[in-house]
């Protein structure tokens, strides 16, 4: 198994997460993809396999410590060493501050931050003895700017960004590349097409983010030489105001 290497994508949805898995699979990485329901991953797994790659789907709740520990142990034992780990859970919800319940705030934090900590910790544990690896956390506009109605989401994404910075300062000297991306803008998804047609109309002018373009950026981050590593990368369409 010395020549086998895996990418773990936590939150491999139909857009960005799936595109990242496909991009790395084209380079020979074994795509280990997770969602809370494994059945939803079958189209992605079948596509990767049809394209000549290898993929495995896992139904796993990333908020549960025992589930994350078991997931990493299973991949390392039965599939391949995890060379790359990508945290891609969103949890973007909008509530006014007076309507944000404790349950909502805690759930958003669990999804967008705490589960990122669990993934980061467990993958760092297996990467450190090998002295190499890449861990990428997907952030959002809310990682750097809190807006009205997004107290829970911005709080969680700010915390994820701080986690990524702390991990980078600890792990870079040990040859583990920890990076954080700020995805600033609408992404070409069915949800955007249905709910925000005015944003989706910009697609023909490259005015919204393509999942494949995001995936290419992640591949390039992973491929960066150690003497020119980046920690935070901002990705936005040319039309996006910022």
């Amino acid at each position: 198994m010395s020549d086998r290497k895996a990418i773990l994508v936590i939150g491999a949805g139909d857009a960005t997460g799936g595109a990242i898995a496909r991009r790395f699979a084209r380079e020979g990485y074994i795509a280990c993809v997770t969602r809370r329901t494994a059945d939803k991953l079958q189209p992605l797994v079948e596509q990767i396999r049809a394209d000549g790659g290898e993929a495995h789907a896992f139904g796993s709740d990333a908020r549960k410590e025992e589930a994350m520990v078991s997931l990493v142990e299973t991949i390392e034992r039965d599939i391949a060493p995890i060379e790359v780990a990508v945290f891609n859970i969103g949890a973007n919800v909008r509530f006014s501050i007076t309507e944000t319940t404790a349950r909502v705030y805690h759930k958003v934090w669990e999804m967008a931050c705490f589960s990122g900590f669990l993934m980061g910790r467990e993958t760092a544990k297996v990467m450190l003895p090998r002295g190499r690896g890449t861990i990428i956390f997907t952030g959002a506009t809310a990682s750097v700017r809190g807006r009205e109605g997004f107290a829970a989401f911005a709080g969680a994404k700010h915390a994820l960004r701080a986690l990524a910075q702390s991990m980078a300062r600890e792990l870079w000297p040990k040859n583990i590349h920890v990076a954080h991306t700020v995805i600033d803008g609408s992404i070409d998804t069915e949800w955007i097409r249905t709910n925000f047609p005015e944003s989706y109309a910009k697609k023909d002018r490259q005015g919204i983010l393509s999942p494949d373009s995001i995936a290419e950026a992640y591949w390039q981050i992973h491929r960066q030489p150690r003497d020119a590593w980046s920690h935070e990368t901002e990705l936005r369409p040319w039309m996006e105001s910022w």
Side-chain angles (χ1 to χ4, degrees):
M1 293 179 61
S2 60
D3 60 340
R4 291 168 62 82
K5 51 194 175 182
I7 175 173
L8 170 61
V9 181
I10 303 293
D14 299 328
T16 304
I20 293 166
R22 293 194 304 270
R23 179 65 183 90
F24 278 77
R26 290 204 304 271
E27 302 293 339
Y29 286 73
I30 301 165
C32 297
V33 293
T34 78
R35 292 178 73 164
R36 274 184 286 179
T37 304
D39 291 347
K40 293 182 179 180
L41 290 164
Q42 286 312 303
L44 173 60
V45 169
E46 291 171 5
Q47 182 178 4
I48 290 173
R49 291 174 178 172
D51 292 338
E54 183 177 344
H56 302 269
F58 297 89
S60 181
D61 189 339
R63 300 171 298 171
K64 305 299 183 183
E65 183 175 22
E66 63 276 11
M68 186 65 70
V69 171
S70 176
L71 174 67
V72 172
E73 286 180 349
T74 298
I75 295 170
E76 288 277 324
R77 182 186 65 243
D78 299 338
I79 300 176
I82 298 171
E83 190 84 4
V84 182
V86 175
F87 179 76
N88 192 60
I89 294 178
N92 187 350
V93 297
R94 183 169 190 167
F95 290 95
S96 70
I97 191 63
T98 56
E99 294 175 342
T100 303
T101 64
R103 180 179 179 274
V104 165
Y105 195 95
H106 189 260
K107 184 177 180 180
V108 171
W109 170 78
E110 277 190 316
M111 292 174 65
C113 179
F114 181 63
S115 52
F117 155 71
L118 292 176
M119 186 210 79
R121 185 190 70 185
E122 292 306 306
T123 54
K125 285 180 180 178
V126 297
M127 291 177 179
L128 280 168
R130 294 191 285 265
R132 68 179 190 277
T134 301
I135 301 172
I136 304 176
F137 296 95
T138 299
T141 310
S143 302
V144 295
R145 185 179 67 201
R147 290 192 58 187
E148 68 280 0
F150 292 97
F153 184 56
K157 283 297 186 180
H158 270 67
L160 183 72
R161 185 183 186 221
L163 168 74
Q165 289 179 0
S166 294
M167 286 183 57
R169 292 183 170 100
E170 180 177 346
L171 298 177
W172 276 30
K174 299 173 183 177
N175 202 33
I176 309 298
H177 186 185
V178 180
H180 176 261
T181 61
V182 176
I183 309 299
D184 183 22
S186 298
I187 302 174
D188 183 2
T189 63
E190 179 61 28
W191 189 80
I192 291 294
R193 187 184 72 81
T194 302
N195 294 283
F196 298 95
E198 70 284 356
S199 293
Y200 195 79
K202 301 175 184 178
K203 178 180 177 179
D204 291 342
R205 292 182 289 162
Q206 295 181 304
I208 61 175
L209 287 145
S210 161
D212 289 335
S213 296
I214 296 172
E216 181 62 32
Y218 279 48
W219 172 249
Q220 295 302 329
I221 290 170
H222 171 58
R223 293 293 297 163
Q224 288 174 343
R226 195 183 186 191
D227 64 351
W229 274 355
S230 60
H231 171 66
E232 188 156 85
T233 301
E234 297 182 346
L235 301 174
R236 62 176 59 88
W238 66 273
M239 298 176 69
E240 190 74 19
S241 59
W242 54 287

